[in-house]
Amino acid sequence: MDIKATALLNEMQSLKGEAQQLAPVNAPGPHQDFAALLTRAVDNVNGLQQSTDGLRTRFELGDESVSLEQVMIAAQKSGLAFDATVQVRNKVVEAYKTIMNMPV
């Protein structure tokens, strides 16, 4: 039985070494927390919506440098970004509720 345990341990150590070569645990580079990532995403959505509002206003006021196509594309981009952000929020809330309901 001791031989199998040793062989298993050797195999696990070999797999660990291969896994570390593929994706090192302590890889150098910037580490971001989730809050900062989420804040950037919300700021990006806000910027897209403000840009869309600006294009829409310019189009409504008769600015000939802004086409209807530009306004519609910007509106679709900001709408999709907002929907994606809402979906991420929903998943985070769902995960939070799941974690809170776990027995300790």
Side-chain angles (χ1 to χ4, degrees):
M1 188 124 185
D2 186 43
I3 297 172
K4 290 182 181 179
T6 305
L8 181 62
L9 181 61
N10 289 337
E11 185 177 345
M12 289 173 63
Q13 288 175 342
S14 170
L15 291 173
K16 178 184 172 189
E18 290 176 19
Q20 286 178 340
Q21 289 175 357
L22 294 175
V25 176
N26 295 326
H31 294 283
Q32 299 178 353
D33 61 347
F34 183 73
L37 185 66
L38 193 58
T39 300
R40 269 203 340 246
V42 169
D43 290 343
N44 184 32
V45 170
N46 185 39
L48 286 171
Q49 288 179 338
Q50 288 178 351
S51 174
T52 299
D53 288 343
L55 282 174
R56 187 176 293 134
T57 301
R58 287 173 50 201
F59 180 76
E60 289 171 352
L61 293 176
D63 187 348
E64 293 183 13
S65 66
V66 178
S67 68
L68 178 61
E69 292 84 9
Q70 288 175 317
V71 174
M72 295 307 293
I73 290 172
Q76 288 297 316
K77 283 182 183 179
S78 66
L80 286 172
F82 180 76
D83 290 342
T85 304
V86 168
Q87 291 299 320
V88 168
R89 180 199 59 112
N90 290 345
K91 290 293 183 181
V92 168
V93 169
E94 183 181 324
Y96 176 77
K97 287 180 182 178
T98 302
I99 291 170
M100 294 306 294
N101 288 330
M102 286 182 174
V104 179

